[in-house]
Amino acid sequence: MDYLQIKRVNSLHGNIKISGAKNASLPLIAMTILANNSVSIKNLPHVADINTLLKLLSNLGAKCNRGEDITTIDTSSLSETKATYDIVRTMRASILVLGPILARFGHCEVSLPGGCAIGQRPVDLHLKALEQMGAIINIEAGYIHAIAPNGLKGCNIIFDKITVTGTANIVMAAALAEGVTTITNAAREPEVVQLCEILNANGVKIDGIGTAILTIHGTDKKLIHIDEFSVIPDRIEAGTYLCAAAITRSELTLTDVNPGHLGAVLSKLQEMGSKFTITENTITIHPSDVIKHVKIVTQEYPAFPTDMQAQFLALATQADGTSIIEERLFENRFMHVSELQRMGADISLNGNVATVNGKSKLSGTDVMATDLRASSALVIAALVADGITNVHRIYHLDRGYDSLEKKLQNVGADIKRLKE
Ligand code: UD1
């Protein structure tokens, strides 16, 4: 197993190119199930989760050709409709194949994803919506068995709670359904927007893209031709490097980024004292004299993303004063707190609220990554911790960060990947 060894750095400097968004890529790969052609995708990040979903599609019979720049996926030969436990347990987002497979073949089995480190994360909203569209769903022996003997039918769906992959799943199911589906309380994340835009540009009319009400005009099982497209930049990767720059008081330029997707993150960094120069596709963060304390509440887009909570928590350990960070999406998403405490951070947890008393002197030690974003929070803290920090279990990090240590090495960080 690999781990990262990180030494304290004075400051970072240079450019980091932002990769394609993992969370956009996953639904877009699942979307190829709706296509009648071999689909070419540019800018897929080189991260484990993408390989996992491509493996799942290959297991089902699709032909996937992973290139450095362009990946092609041909699902015309897809014959299996069962997503098995061995893959789903490694990546919950495998549930994204349920909607498109069910819509195309009229039946699908997906292993229940189960819990994960950051909370329960049920898929009940996905299933309830598919049932409303005419699916018959049974849970048996750890599997979701879904059939739609008469095909899926458009209907009005109101999500009780905003769900990102739930919205993507139902949009894909609705794309091949008979008639019109309206999703109310839809997720508005840029990753959902890109999925809708690509479907809309390729023969599935969708109204209300980017709003909380989506109206999808189904093709009644007619597969669509999908033209080549490029995945949007990863806003969470970008936010992570901005936190790395802010904590080390560095000047860093991110390229190939979409600043429009980072509104809440940039605004919180500004509150904490950072200054930026922003162009259409670059963000330069300038060194700041102070890091100010902050109050953060995680919510759905366009509010502050839960996927940036851990990194800001690490940054808050170096702020002057007391920061309050409230997690509203996932009940157990504070596993990084105990590891940061071991490094010397002064954090108290009360339910879903973390109180971070800055500024703490951090010391390098052995720490353990517990989930994807917790991993990057530990890397950020390690950049300013005295001595050497070893971040173990970085397979979590490899799920979603493309070449993190190389990108950080290029801007002056002392970070190495070693074997346990
Ligand atoms: C996606 C992102 C993840 C991000 C999260 C919230 C991907 C692959 N992952 O996860 O990085 O942290 O959005 O922005 O895009 N819920 C239910 N029932 C359901 C579905 C969800 O109760 O059927 C709850 C969840 O437990 C959670 C909330 O709704 O409390 C939001 O979850 P959701 O948006 O579905 O997260 P994911 O799509 O799994």
Side-chain angles (χ1 to χ4, degrees):
M1 221 188 288
D2 293 354
Y3 68 100
L4 288 177
Q5 187 170 83
I6 302 156
K7 289 189 188 148
R8 186 190 169 90
V9 70
N10 281 334
S11 65
L12 307 170
H13 46 84
N15 295 352
I16 293 183
K17 183 177 184 298
I18 298 304
S19 299
K22 168 184 85 77
N23 284 356
S25 304
L26 294 170
L28 292 169
I29 291 171
M31 176 193 72
T32 63
I33 296 168
L34 309 175
N36 59 14
N37 63 311
S38 171
V39 182
S40 299
I41 310 182
K42 284 160 89 171
N43 207 31
L44 279 181
H46 292 272
V47 299
D49 273 9
I50 300 303
N51 299 338
T52 303
L53 190 55
L54 291 174
K55 184 171 168 213
L56 170 55
L57 285 192
S58 302
N59 287 354
L60 299 178
K63 294 193 185 79
C64 304
N65 190 356
R66 181 89 162 105
E68 188 56 35
D69 298 323
I70 298 188
T71 296
T72 55
I73 305 173
D74 183 353
T75 62
S76 60
S77 50
L78 201 142
S79 48
E80 287 291 322
T81 56
K82 181 172 178 175
T84 51
Y85 177 68
D86 54 328
I87 292 219
V88 180
R89 77 188 167 92
T90 65
M91 189 182 69
R92 299 179 42 83
S94 310
I95 190 76
L96 282 165
V97 301
L98 177 60
I101 291 184
L102 182 63
R104 177 166 155 186
F105 295 97
H107 55 91
C108 181
E109 281 170 73
V110 179
S111 168
L112 269 176
C116 75
I118 65 172
Q120 255 193 345
R121 301 183 80 176
V123 291
D124 56 315
L125 300 175
H126 303 228
L127 304 186
K128 194 172 141 196
L130 289 171
E131 279 175 340
Q132 276 183 267
M133 297 178 78
I136 300 166
I137 295 181
N138 285 302
I139 311 279
E140 257 176 54
Y143 275 81
I144 301 161
H145 297 256
I147 53 167
N150 304 312
L152 294 175
K153 308 264 187 288
C155 65
N156 291 331
I157 289 159
I158 303 177
F159 276 127
D160 291 340
K161 211 171 177 183
I162 298 175
T163 160
V164 176
T165 48
T167 303
N169 225 343
I170 300 311
V171 165
M172 290 187 280
L176 293 196
E178 179 193 334
V180 176
T181 303
T182 303
I183 304 176
T184 301
N185 211 18
R188 291 179 287 159
E189 270 65 5
E191 295 77 20
V192 174
V193 169
Q194 184 174 33
L195 171 72
C196 292
E197 280 174 347
I198 289 172
L199 286 170
N200 189 53
N202 291 280
V204 179
K205 186 170 178 297
I206 303 183
D207 302 316
I209 296 177
T211 75
I213 302 182
L214 294 172
T215 305
I216 304 115
H217 301 258
T219 65
D220 196 6
K221 280 201 169 167
K222 190 167 171 289
L223 299 181
I224 55 174
H225 181 99
I226 300 178
D227 292 335
E228 178 179 295
F229 62 85
S230 181
V231 177
I232 56 170
D234 195 315
R235 63 195 168 101
I236 306 302
E237 187 198 18
T240 301
Y241 291 126
L242 291 175
C243 287
I247 203 168
T248 53
R249 299 171 191 216
S250 305
E251 175 142 323
L252 210 59
T253 296
L254 308 184
T255 63
D256 297 69
V257 64
N258 185 336
H261 294 163
L262 280 150
V265 167
L266 292 173
S267 142
K268 282 296 159 192
L269 282 169
Q270 250 154 4
E271 272 181 45
M272 295 179 86
S274 294
K275 293 199 171 52
F276 304 97
T277 304
I278 294 175
T279 70
E280 197 189 331
N281 57 3
T282 68
I283 300 174
T284 300
I285 178 168
H286 303 291
S288 63
D289 300 333
V290 285
I291 303 176
K292 296 181 205 156
H293 62 274
V294 73
K295 189 170 185 313
I296 288 176
V297 179
T298 67
Q299 287 181 86
E300 295 85 2
Y301 190 86
F304 188 88
T306 174
D307 285 351
M308 284 303 305
Q309 178 255 101
Q311 301 90 317
F312 269 76
L313 203 145
L315 177 58
T317 66
Q318 300 308 299
D320 291 339
T322 299
S323 298
I324 310 284
I325 299 183
E326 183 178 343
E327 173 56 56
R328 291 233 181 125
L329 272 88
F330 295 111
E331 72 271 18
N332 200 20
R333 200 170 199 175
F334 278 126
M335 312 274 279
H336 40 288
V337 165
S338 51
E339 297 303 295
L340 290 169
Q341 282 168 333
R342 294 185 54 252
M343 295 175 77
D346 179 355
I347 308 167
S348 56
L349 262 186
N350 186 1
N352 65 335
V353 179
T355 304
V356 189
N357 294 310
K359 169 186 178 177
S360 303
K361 184 171 157 41
L362 300 182
S363 310
T365 182
D366 287 280
V367 288
M368 217 166 63
T370 47
D371 67 59
L372 171 57
R373 306 305 170 184
S375 322
S376 57
L378 297 175
V379 172
I380 288 168
L383 293 172
V384 295
D386 281 344
I388 295 178
T389 307
N390 295 313
V391 183
H392 300 274
R393 300 206 179 167
I394 54 161
Y395 55 86
H396 288 294
L397 193 127
D398 292 337
R399 288 188 42 206
Y401 285 95
D402 187 342
S403 318
L404 175 127
E405 75 270 18
K406 291 203 187 77
K407 290 186 184 190
L408 283 175
Q409 278 161 4
N410 287 343
V411 293
D414 190 338
I415 176 168
K416 277 190 260 189
R417 178 179 288 259
L418 299 169
K419 296 263 177 232
E420 298 281 5

